[in-house]
Amino acid sequence: MRGLGPSLTVRCFLPLRLLRRPQRPPGPRLSSGPAAAGALERAMDELLRRSVPAMPAYELREKSPAAAESQCADFVSFYGGLAEVAERAELLGRLAGGFGVDHSQVAEQSAGVLQLHQEPRETAVLLQAEDRLRYALVPRYRGLFHHISKLDGGVRFLVQLRADLLEAQALKLVEGPHVREMNGVLKGMLSEWFSSGFLNLERVTWHSPCEVLQKVSESEAVHPVKNWMDMKRRVGPYRRCCFFSHCTTPGEPLVVLHVALTSEISSNIQGIVKECPPSETEEKNKIAAAIFYSISLTQQGLQGVELGTFLIKRVVKELQKEFPHLETFSSLSPIPGFTKWLLGLLNSQAKEHGRNELFTDSECKEISEITGGPITETLKVFLSSNEWVKSEKLVRALQAPLMRLCAWYLYGEKHRGYALNPVANFHLQNGAVLWRINWMADVSLKGITSSCGLMVNYRYYLEDTATNSIAYLSSKNIKASEQVLSLVTQFQKNSKL
């Protein structure tokens, strides 16, 4: 304990640890043999038959009794006892495939609506036919989810169920349109239950409960917390750490935002997450910018639910109340996927017999002299590790080409017309400006391996965010600064992709 200070001694008994899935009670496994697997599958079918409520006739939709609580509780208990990812995937696949929409009903109701559109009828008749069609489009499993949500801890269970579903999809244990549809339905329901009106904004300080500090440290996915001294800095002077909790579970972080209060827009993370102890008091006249340097979702089942956007907006409002003079808001964001994208380009060029379309002739000559080999092959080796940053010459030689390649990756590489990079897409949807790309901004192992040490500022001009957001979402226009656009122009001039 000695040397850490009296305020740290109690908290040091609780070590920082990685997030772990809660332990499930042991149960039968699909891999236990054909007989056991068959028995488990039959048990699944019987459970679903008993637990998933039937869709009552349209005329009785508001008069039918709710499903018995015990039936929903049986599903929750059975699911909780499944020990393997594959078992949970099997049950979810059967639920999605066998208890979705009744397509014959949809076809029948659709035909009725089309017929009424072709024949002059009273508006009320047409509206009721459309309502029947909407009712037919509701999948049966939605009723199960709805009833589970009313159980004690039911919403939390459904968040974990969706996390399991996403994991099973990623592992390709369960696939197909029915599964994707069920995921979308559950995401929509969670979006309603976790809308901004049900969320509480809470600030984390060093005096917050140990359990909250522990959860915040565990959930930090962008810049991992090293120890309790590091955690104390991140919630101390010139820092703000806030999270959203649900009104039913106060003190339980759902999404966490870390903010640095600085004199200017930060160009590297080393200046924010640093080793030296923080000063004890804040001087408001030294605070001119708020830097959002980390936002982390604590519940994977809430992926795609719009929490981060609401959190940034709420925190901005709170900061404006606390510091009325504060007008500069920006992120300092990682660029996950840049190194992988760049290595993919180098691989494709290597397959075409060393063809170079990324670097100028002078850059090729300089880099080859430093690395001692053909630029494409040697860079593939160097960029696959973090060793290259130890060479000052190579770092200087790579700065110009990697800066313009990164600008193109963020600005020009698209997925369905929107930014390919997920972090860029998030901030651009919020109406931020792709403002500045920073060289050697994250020299940690993670920063070097995932983005060649580069980071980017997405700046929030509050008066323009709504306009920028609409332009991006509707027309797919990216608002970028002169620095970024200049780098993009250099890329287009010097590269032949």
Side-chain angles (χ1 to χ4, degrees):
M1 302 291 184
R2 191 164 47 200
L4 293 177
S7 63
L8 282 179
T9 52
V10 174
R11 298 182 188 278
C12 284
F13 285 113
L14 186 61
L16 294 182
R17 60 183 184 273
L18 297 175
L19 284 170
R20 294 184 176 89
R21 171 184 291 280
Q23 294 295 315
R24 298 174 185 266
R29 301 187 177 187
L30 291 175
S31 56
S32 301
L40 180 57
E41 290 170 358
R42 288 191 295 274
M44 288 181 179
D45 290 337
E46 172 60 24
L47 171 78
L48 294 176
R49 184 194 62 76
R50 189 175 68 251
S51 300
V52 183
M55 293 288 287
Y58 176 80
E59 291 77 12
L60 302 175
R61 65 193 184 284
E62 296 177 354
K63 300 176 182 178
S64 299
E69 184 175 305
S70 60
Q71 294 175 338
C72 301
D74 285 347
F75 180 89
V76 172
S77 176
F78 185 97
Y79 186 88
L82 297 174
E84 299 295 326
V85 176
E87 296 168 359
R88 298 191 291 273
E90 178 69 21
L91 179 59
L92 294 176
R94 288 170 180 266
L95 177 61
F99 297 87
V101 168
D102 184 339
H103 297 291
S104 63
Q105 272 293 311
V106 172
E108 181 181 330
Q109 300 302 329
S110 297
V113 171
L114 288 173
Q115 185 176 357
L116 288 172
H117 270 287
Q118 295 167 359
E119 301 173 359
R121 291 290 183 92
E122 292 183 7
T123 303
V125 176
L126 177 59
L127 292 176
Q128 186 182 60
E130 291 173 343
D131 192 47
R132 286 177 177 271
L133 175 58
R134 276 192 295 273
Y135 183 70
L137 287 167
V138 176
R140 278 185 64 183
Y141 50 69
R142 194 183 195 285
L144 174 65
F145 298 154
H146 176 72
H147 292 307
I148 289 175
S149 72
K150 298 179 179 181
L151 299 176
D152 184 28
V155 173
R156 185 195 298 265
F157 168 83
L158 291 172
V159 171
Q160 183 57 57
L161 183 144
R162 182 164 183 259
D164 292 341
L165 181 59
L166 292 172
E167 181 184 15
Q169 288 181 285
L171 295 173
K172 300 190 182 303
L173 295 174
V174 60
E175 298 180 274
H178 291 100
V179 174
R180 292 193 294 271
E181 175 67 15
M182 188 170 77
N183 177 45
V185 169
L186 188 50
K187 174 188 168 184
M189 298 177 78
L190 291 171
S191 295
E192 293 179 4
W193 296 329
F194 288 89
S195 62
S196 58
F198 297 114
L199 302 176
N200 298 321
L201 181 67
E202 301 188 42
R203 180 181 169 185
V204 183
T205 70
W206 187 240
H207 302 290
S208 296
C210 269
E211 293 77 11
V212 172
L213 289 166
Q214 182 81 33
K215 289 172 184 175
V216 169
S217 69
E218 290 173 341
S219 69
E220 177 49 47
V222 185
H223 306 290
V225 178
K226 300 173 185 175
N227 49 45
W228 279 113
M229 181 62 79
D230 188 10
M231 189 67 212
K232 185 178 183 182
R233 275 195 301 275
R234 299 192 192 196
V235 298
Y238 297 102
R239 300 291 181 266
R240 295 295 182 270
C241 177
C242 301
F243 66 85
F244 268 149
S245 63
H246 195 267
C247 59
T248 60
T249 53
E252 180 76 29
L254 300 174
V255 58
V256 183
L257 177 67
H258 289 268
V259 185
L261 303 174
T262 61
S263 59
E264 60 183 0
I265 296 179
S266 303
S267 60
N268 67 80
I269 195 62
Q270 293 85 242
I272 294 176
V273 184
K274 54 188 177 182
E275 295 298 332
C276 59
S279 59
E280 293 301 321
T281 57
E282 289 179 351
E283 296 181 41
K284 291 193 174 184
N285 61 338
K286 292 185 178 180
I287 297 173
I291 310 301
F292 314 126
Y293 69 92
S294 174
I295 185 165
S296 297
L297 192 65
T298 69
Q299 309 287 336
Q300 294 308 305
L302 294 176
Q303 283 184 41
V305 177
E306 199 172 5
L307 297 175
T309 299
F310 292 142
L311 181 56
I312 289 177
K313 290 178 179 178
R314 285 282 299 276
V315 170
V316 166
K317 289 181 180 178
E318 293 300 314
L319 290 173
Q320 287 178 316
K321 291 178 186 177
E322 188 177 2
F323 306 102
H325 67 283
L326 189 59
E327 296 181 348
T328 303
F329 299 90
S330 174
S331 78
L332 178 62
S333 300
I335 312 172
F338 173 62
T339 302
K340 182 179 179 181
W341 172 80
L342 180 55
L343 288 172
L345 291 182
L346 292 172
N347 279 324
S348 64
Q349 297 207 350
K351 291 177 182 177
E352 298 183 26
H353 308 292
R355 181 169 59 93
N356 169 52
E357 294 184 340
L358 302 178
F359 306 92
T360 64
D361 292 339
S362 61
E363 288 169 348
C364 284
K365 181 180 178 182
E366 182 182 9
I367 294 170
S368 294
E369 288 176 353
I370 296 171
T371 59
I375 183 171
T376 302
E377 291 299 332
T378 54
L379 275 186
K380 281 169 55 182
V381 175
F382 276 97
L383 295 179
S384 296
S385 72
N386 65 331
E387 294 298 313
W388 64 275
V389 296
K390 297 178 181 178
S391 168
E392 293 184 10
K393 288 184 178 179
L394 186 55
V395 169
R396 284 197 301 271
L398 287 175
Q399 180 172 357
L402 292 193
M403 286 281 283
R404 66 172 184 262
L405 282 161
C406 184
W408 178 255
Y409 170 68
L410 294 172
Y411 184 85
E413 289 294 316
K414 304 292 179 64
H415 174 67
R416 297 178 180 175
Y418 298 105
L420 174 66
N421 182 267
V423 179
N425 189 51
F426 169 77
H427 287 290
L428 293 170
Q429 283 185 8
N430 293 346
V433 173
L434 180 53
W435 191 68
R436 185 176 67 195
I437 298 172
N438 305 293
W439 179 245
M440 288 293 106
D442 183 359
V443 295
S444 68
L445 176 61
K446 183 178 180 180
I448 296 298
T449 54
S450 68
S451 58
C452 298
L454 288 152
M455 297 189 78
V456 58
N457 300 113
Y458 298 99
R459 187 165 178 179
Y460 284 77
Y461 294 95
L462 301 185
E463 66 277 10
D464 297 329
T465 52
T467 303
N468 293 343
S469 178
I470 292 171
Y472 179 69
L473 292 171
S474 61
S475 304
K476 301 173 182 175
N477 293 330
I478 294 177
K479 188 77 171 178
S481 67
E482 290 184 7
Q483 184 236 28
V484 174
L485 293 176
S486 174
L487 289 169
V488 169
T489 300
Q490 291 175 38
F491 170 87
Q492 292 171 327
K493 178 181 177 182
N494 295 303
S495 301
K496 306 179 185 65
L497 294 180

